[in-house]
Amino acid sequence: FPVVNVPTRPSGSSDCPMGAGGGAAAGAKGDGAPVDEEKVKKMQMNAQKLDELAEKAKAFEVDKNAAVGRSKDRGFTVNMGKATELDPDLRGKERATTLPAGGARRGDFQLSAEVQAEMKARMEKLEGRVRRGSIFLGAVRDQDLIQKWENDCEYAVYGKLSTGQSPASEREIDFYPKSAKLAELTAKSGLVFSCTKGCKGVGDRSPNQDNFSLVKYKDKGGWEVICVMDGHGPAGHNVSHRSVQVLPYYLHNSEFFPDEMEKALEDAFQITQQDLLGHGIQEGYDVQASGTTAIVFLRNGSGCYTAHC
């Protein structure tokens, strides 16, 4: 990575070019010619900026392994900016304890055997209640989702569920209607998107747990829904993948949409939660120790709304 050394002025040198001044009276050069004070002022400001850049350049840091080269198994970091002394206790004594899909990240928080057994027992109890009919955890069928995208939406774009991804790899995309091309659909939205997998450590092949969706309805005001979600936990990739699809579906079906948008959003979030429990049982993934963050943005020509959890 090339590093450019920023030159600085020698200490004690004149702010004027070529040391102009030389004992001459202010406002005049050594030969008596008038001095362009505005030009001198600009040169002084530029010299000050050079000094500031030189100071910042001292804090330019590159991962020591950068010279080895970037591979698909690892990444490296480049930092540039003025160094800041931080309080060692500023971040607290404990790191975040959310779980990734795999165990590649250094220092991952591990669930004990007792806790894992308790999570399994809770899931089995939930499945038993569903079988007995004491609770109903419905999950919309895939064919109903596709019917919604094809018939009621101008476009629906979201990330596919994949496994065994390499760090920095781009998520594959699924979209509807299938009669269109992806480039045509994204051109309608005017948005550019990218969803790349991070790196949790050497040999990381865990699935990308980030996901997103772009959905625009044909009716009900032509609202466009943009979802961005970051899954966490052993099944976080399943949760984020499911949520970016069904939340726009349930929002469009809400009795409150679009006239009472806040109620419609709350309604969609709650039903999505129930759908995840039901879908987890159907597809065999455990959501007891998994979840996702959720950011939703709605827009049309008349205004916009945001929601998150």
Side-chain angles (χ1 to χ4, degrees), residues 35-272:
V35 175
D36 187 340
E37 295 184 0
E38 186 65 25
K39 184 176 181 180
V40 172
K41 185 177 180 181
K42 288 182 179 180
M43 294 183 68
Q44 291 174 337
M45 293 176 61
N46 290 336
Q48 182 179 356
K49 290 180 179 179
L50 281 175
D51 287 341
E52 293 174 355
L53 286 172
E55 183 65 25
K56 290 181 178 180
K58 294 178 182 178
F60 188 92
E61 299 176 351
V62 181
D63 187 337
K64 294 180 181 179
N65 290 323
V68 178
R70 187 182 182 99
S71 71
K72 62 182 180 180
D73 292 331
R74 63 173 299 278
F76 55 82
T77 303
V78 176
N79 299 323
M80 186 170 184
K82 188 174 181 180
T84 303
E85 295 295 331
L86 296 178
D87 184 346
D89 296 326
L90 186 62
R91 295 184 61 188
K93 296 181 180 179
E94 296 183 359
R95 69 191 297 273
T97 56
T98 54
L99 294 171
R105 186 188 299 169
R106 295 181 295 275
D108 278 334
F109 179 81
Q110 299 293 331
L111 290 175
S112 66
E114 292 78 11
V115 172
Q116 292 184 46
E118 182 181 352
M119 294 294 100
K120 183 179 180 181
R122 289 184 182 181
M123 196 66 180
E124 290 175 349
K125 182 178 180 181
L126 184 63
E127 292 172 354
R129 293 184 64 189
V130 171
R131 286 194 300 269
R132 293 192 301 271
S134 61
I135 59 172
F136 173 73
L137 298 174
V140 61
R141 300 176 303 172
D142 289 343
Q143 54 263 43
D144 294 328
L145 283 173
I146 294 174
Q147 184 177 7
K148 172 73 70 177
W149 307 150
E150 290 282 358
N151 299 335
D152 299 334
C153 300
E154 288 191 25
Y155 50 81
V157 180
Y158 55 89
K160 287 184 178 180
L161 185 63
S162 354
T163 57
Q165 294 175 291
S166 300
S169 61
E170 189 74 27
R171 180 177 286 288
E172 296 180 3
I173 305 301
D174 205 352
F175 63 91
Y176 294 91
K178 290 298 185 182
S179 58
K181 295 182 179 180
L182 179 59
E184 297 173 349
L185 302 180
T186 54
K188 288 183 178 181
S189 72
L191 298 174
V192 176
F193 55 82
S194 177
C195 184
T196 58
K197 174 180 157 50
C199 181
K200 298 182 176 71
V202 176
D204 175 28
R205 288 295 184 274
S206 61
N208 182 0
Q209 295 192 309
D210 302 334
N211 216 316
F212 74 97
S213 62
L214 309 173
V215 177
K216 185 172 183 180
Y217 309 129
K218 291 180 180 178
D219 58 356
K220 299 186 177 181
W223 286 91
E224 182 179 32
V225 185
I226 303 169
C227 297
V228 177
M229 303 197 184
D230 180 1
H232 51 262
H237 50 293
N238 298 101
V239 176
S240 61
H241 174 256
R242 180 67 176 177
S243 298
V244 297
Q245 296 179 73
V246 300
L247 197 149
Y249 173 89
Y250 290 124
L251 179 63
H252 187 259
N253 288 352
S254 173
E255 61 178 316
F256 303 111
F257 183 81
D259 299 327
E260 299 179 79
M261 192 66 79
E262 292 185 11
K263 289 184 178 180
L265 285 165
E266 291 179 2
D267 195 31
F269 271 78
Q270 291 174 0
I271 301 177
T272 297

